[in-house]
């Protein structure tokens, strides 16, 4: 099947209104002035949190290591600017729960003094392992939102001999345009990062997928990739969730990722365009990941657009920079479909923060849910081929095992089903609850099996010890009988 046939044949997903993308995307990229302080979290990635290597009262420079990676799946953290470490403790996490997590607070001195600039290197003169090490040392993680550390991902690609890199420029959520912005304004950095990743992983080709509602980005990326035949820029339909790795891989390569498997298992590795630009800066110049482009958008924002922001900037400082027309009814980190509602604005930006939305009451109004009419709209929209109406029916009946058998674990929590549901049923929330319940039951089952195993082992041990005692007693009895028989025989012989 040809690429166009494959694209036209795709029927999953939805078409959320993306009217809010263009105003923010078309504004030139801005650089945020340094705030008075930064709260740099220790856990901004999948895996183990970083461990502080600075002390309160210590002065740090821009780019300086302030927390080391712990374990194979982790990432170091660097100071986004110069200043004094005033606290190492808890701040509010970017999560609806408002729970705390650990961060290093730096009072900035306004000098923005950095470490000595490293000499520029030719990454293609380095061994792939050294390239991966530079990526690891810079704290690069997936900037599309997954935040998986990029170095072990590249190493896995080389180990599994992946042949194709899929570069994700989809950015399919409404309101967001940070990836669009970096492709428009820094396409050369993105393409160079793609080439560096190809060298690190051994991949023979790279396919850059960009939704066709980003014509300026497509033109810029094609121009930057023109000298490199192995890198192909391919427009894909503007359909949510095209930015999901499984969907983009299937559209670009025709390959389907098996349930429960990674894209690397079919010879494909996926990376985000912003991640590639960060890899370019890290490997070429030694710049760690301490800043990123954030889309600031929503009806309450006075000057929406894309802003280069130091990581650890509080949301309230970022909103003060762009200005507000009114008090937001809701703050969201990420997009409106899969983002996290924030409890307040005293929350720091993190490496995976591609957008901050300040939404008005009109933008978040949702109708009250009503009973399912079994129209099947959710089934048609699901990008994973699941049957949401059947899954939610089982969940409401308390049949979590039945929902599990319907492959609820494959749910992306993309929200397509809820978006098209005419009954406004909160499907994603039901699925998230069910996943948690299934996980708890699985853990309880493991504990029960472990306890049962201990009890069985104890019973077997007691039976074995009893059997050994009985055998030992029988041996002693036989020995005494033999001794008695021998003594009796001796007496008879003497007589």
């Amino acid at each position: 099947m040809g690429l166009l046939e494959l694209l036209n044949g795709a029927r999953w997903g939805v078409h959320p209104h993306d009217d809010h993308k263009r105003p923010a995307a078309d504004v030139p990229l801005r650089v945020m002035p340094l705030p008075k302080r930064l709260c740099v979290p220790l856990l901004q990635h999948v895996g183990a949190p970083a461990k502080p290597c600075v002390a309160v009262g210590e002065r740090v420079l821009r780019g300086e290591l302030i927390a080391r990676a712990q374990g194979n799946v982790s990432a170091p953290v660097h100071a986004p600017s110069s200043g004094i470490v005033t606290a190492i403790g808890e701040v509010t996490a970017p999560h609806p729960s408002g729970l705390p997590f650990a961060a290093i607070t730096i009072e900035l001195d306004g000098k923005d003094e950095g470490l000595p600039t490293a000499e520029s290197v030719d990454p293609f003169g380095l061994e792939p392992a050294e390239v991966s090490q530079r990526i690891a040392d810079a704290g690069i993680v997936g900037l599309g939102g997954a935040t998986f550390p990029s170095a072990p991902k590249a190493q896995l690609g080389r180990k599994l001999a992946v042949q194709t890199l899929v570069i994700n420029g989809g950015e399919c959520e409404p309101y967001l345009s940070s990836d669009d912005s970096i492709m428009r304004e820094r396409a050369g950095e993105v393409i160079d990062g793609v080439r560096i990743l190809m060298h690190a992983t051994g991949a023979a080709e790279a396919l850059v997928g960009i939704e066709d509602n980003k014509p300026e980005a497509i033109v810029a990326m094609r121009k930057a990739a023109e000298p490199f035949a192995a890198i192909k820029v391919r427009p894909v339909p503007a359909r949510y969730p095209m930015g999901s790795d499984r969907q983009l891989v299937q559209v670009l390569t025709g390959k389907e990722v098996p349930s429960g498997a990674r894209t690397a298992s079919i010879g494909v590795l996926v990376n985000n365009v912003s991640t590639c630009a960060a890899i370019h800066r890290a490997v070429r110049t030694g710049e760690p990941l301490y800043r990123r482009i954030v889309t600031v958008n929503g009806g309450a924002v006075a000057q929406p657009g894309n802003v280069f922001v130091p990581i650890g900037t509080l949301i309230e400082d970022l909103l003060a920079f762009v200005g507000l027309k009114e008090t937001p009814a809701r703050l969201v980190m990420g997009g409106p479909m899969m983002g996290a509602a924030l409890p307040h604005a005293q929350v720091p930006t993190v490496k995976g923060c591609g957008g901050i939305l300040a939404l008005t009451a009109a933008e978040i109004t949702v109708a009250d849910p009503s009973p399912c009419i079994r129209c099947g709209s959710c089934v048609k929209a699901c990008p994973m081929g699941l049957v949401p109406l059947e899954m939610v029916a089982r969940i409401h009946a308390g049949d979590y095992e039945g929902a599990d058998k319907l492959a609820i674990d494959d749910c992306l929590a993309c929200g397509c089903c809820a978006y098209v549901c005419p009954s406004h049923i909160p499907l994603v929330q039901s699925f998230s609850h069910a996943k948690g319940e299934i996980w708890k039951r699985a853990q309880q089952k493991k504990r029960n099996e472990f306890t049962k195993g201990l009890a069985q082992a104890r019973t077997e041990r007691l039976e074995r010890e009893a059997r050994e005692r009985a055998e030992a007693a029988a041996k002693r009895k036989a020995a005494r009988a033999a001794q008695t028989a021998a003594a009796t025989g001796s007496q008879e012989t003497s007589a």
Side-chain angles (χ1 to χ4, degrees):
M1 180 182 292
L3 177 62
L4 290 178
E5 291 175 313
L6 185 65
L7 296 180
N8 292 331
R11 290 292 179 265
W12 46 261
V14 296
H15 295 270
H17 299 296
D18 60 359
D19 300 341
H20 297 288
K21 273 184 178 285
R22 297 299 305 192
D26 293 339
V27 175
L29 179 64
R30 289 172 283 174
V31 177
M32 180 179 170
L34 290 173
K36 293 182 179 180
R37 64 170 174 153
L38 299 171
C39 296
V40 188
L42 299 177
L43 181 60
Q44 306 182 54
H45 49 267
V46 172
K51 184 177 182 179
C53 57
V54 293
V56 173
E58 187 174 341
R59 184 171 187 263
V60 296
L61 302 179
R62 173 172 37 82
E64 184 175 344
L65 181 71
I66 57 176
R68 301 182 188 280
Q70 294 192 92
N72 293 328
V73 181
S74 185
V77 175
H78 302 80
S81 188
S82 59
I84 304 296
V85 176
T86 57
I88 301 176
E90 295 182 335
V91 299
T92 304
H95 188 272
S97 67
L99 292 173
F101 70 159
I104 296 174
T105 299
I106 305 172
E107 292 290 335
L108 303 186
D109 54 22
K111 299 178 181 179
D112 197 31
E113 185 180 351
L115 292 173
T117 304
E119 291 185 8
S120 180
V121 300
D122 176 14
F124 306 104
L126 304 175
E127 290 296 321
E130 188 174 350
V131 173
S132 294
Q133 188 59 53
R134 283 175 174 256
I135 294 172
D137 292 343
I140 308 297
V141 303
L143 298 184
T147 66
F148 192 90
S150 298
K153 192 173 182 179
Q155 292 162 358
L156 176 66
R158 177 163 286 276
K159 180 180 178 181
L160 297 181
V162 299
Q163 290 301 301
T164 302
L165 291 184
V166 165
I167 307 303
N168 191 345
E171 196 170 39
C172 52
E173 283 229 36
Y175 290 91
L176 302 186
S177 55
S178 59
D179 287 342
D180 188 3
S181 176
I182 203 164
M183 288 188 289
R184 290 192 197 195
E185 303 201 22
R186 303 195 175 194
E189 293 185 9
V190 177
I191 294 300
D192 188 59
V194 174
R195 294 179 62 223
I196 293 171
L197 265 179
M198 292 176 69
H199 176 58
T201 60
E205 66 170 352
L207 306 176
V208 185
I210 307 173
E211 283 194 320
D212 56 17
N213 61 355
K214 303 174 181 62
E216 297 86 354
I218 292 171
V219 170
M221 290 288 284
R222 278 181 166 167
K223 183 177 180 180
E226 190 175 2
F228 313 107
I231 303 176
K232 302 175 181 65
V233 177
R234 292 183 174 174
V236 297
R239 178 183 290 118
Y240 177 83
M242 188 62 75
S244 169
D245 58 355
R246 292 169 180 266
Q247 277 60 51
L248 191 59
V249 165
Q250 186 173 11
V251 168
L252 289 177
T253 70
K255 298 178 180 180
E256 185 173 354
V257 183
S259 176
R262 297 176 179 175
T263 60
S265 67
I266 60 170
V268 179
L269 206 64
V270 182
N271 280 274
N272 173 266
V273 290
S274 293
T275 308
C276 292
I279 287 173
H280 154 81
R281 293 192 295 272
V283 179
R284 289 277 187 185
T285 68
E287 179 184 305
L289 179 56
Y290 56 73
R291 56 177 178 158
R292 68 154 298 153
I293 298 177
V294 178
T295 301
V296 189
N297 209 343
V301 178
Q303 295 180 307
N306 289 286
V307 185
F308 238 130
V309 178
I311 289 167
T313 299
L314 296 181
I315 304 304
E316 61 181 357
D317 292 331
L318 180 54
L319 293 178
F321 171 65
V322 298
L324 293 175
K325 295 186 291 187
E326 60 181 90
T327 301
R330 180 177 298 168
L331 294 174
V332 176
M333 181 176 286
M337 303 293 282
M338 297 183 71
L342 301 177
H344 49 70
Q346 289 79 46
V347 173
T349 56
V350 291
K351 293 178 180 181
C353 173
I356 295 296
L357 306 183
L359 304 175
T360 63
E363 291 175 295
I364 64 172
T365 300
V366 179
D368 293 332
S370 57
C372 175
I373 61 174
R374 300 187 69 80
C375 63
S377 297
C378 58
V379 179
K380 296 175 185 177
C382 180
M384 297 303 294
L386 304 179
V387 189
L389 63 90
E390 293 293 346
M391 293 193 303
V392 78
R394 283 159 174 74
I395 293 167
H396 288 171
D399 182 12
Y400 296 104
E401 184 177 346
D404 195 23
K405 289 180 180 178
L406 290 172
I408 193 173
D409 195 50
D410 284 344
C411 172
L412 300 175
C414 65
C416 287
C417 54
Y419 183 84
V420 300
C421 178
S423 297
H424 308 288
I425 299 172
L427 295 163
V428 177
Q429 289 89 333
S430 294
F431 300 154
S432 297
H433 164 73
K435 286 181 182 180
E437 187 63 31
I438 290 169
W439 181 84
K440 284 194 297 183
R441 294 187 180 193
Q443 295 302 306
Q444 186 60 50
K445 183 178 179 181
K446 286 182 180 179
R447 286 193 291 269
N448 291 344
E449 290 175 351
F450 180 70
T451 303
K452 182 180 178 181
L454 290 177
Q456 184 176 351
R458 181 177 183 275
T459 300
E460 291 174 354
R461 176 176 58 80
L462 293 175
E463 290 176 350
R464 184 179 66 254
E465 290 174 351
R467 188 167 57 252
E468 290 173 351
R469 287 195 297 271
E471 290 174 354
K475 287 180 180 179
R476 288 194 298 272
K477 183 177 180 181
R480 286 196 299 270
Q483 290 174 354
T484 301
T488 302
S490 176
Q491 291 174 357
E492 291 177 351
T493 301
S494 299

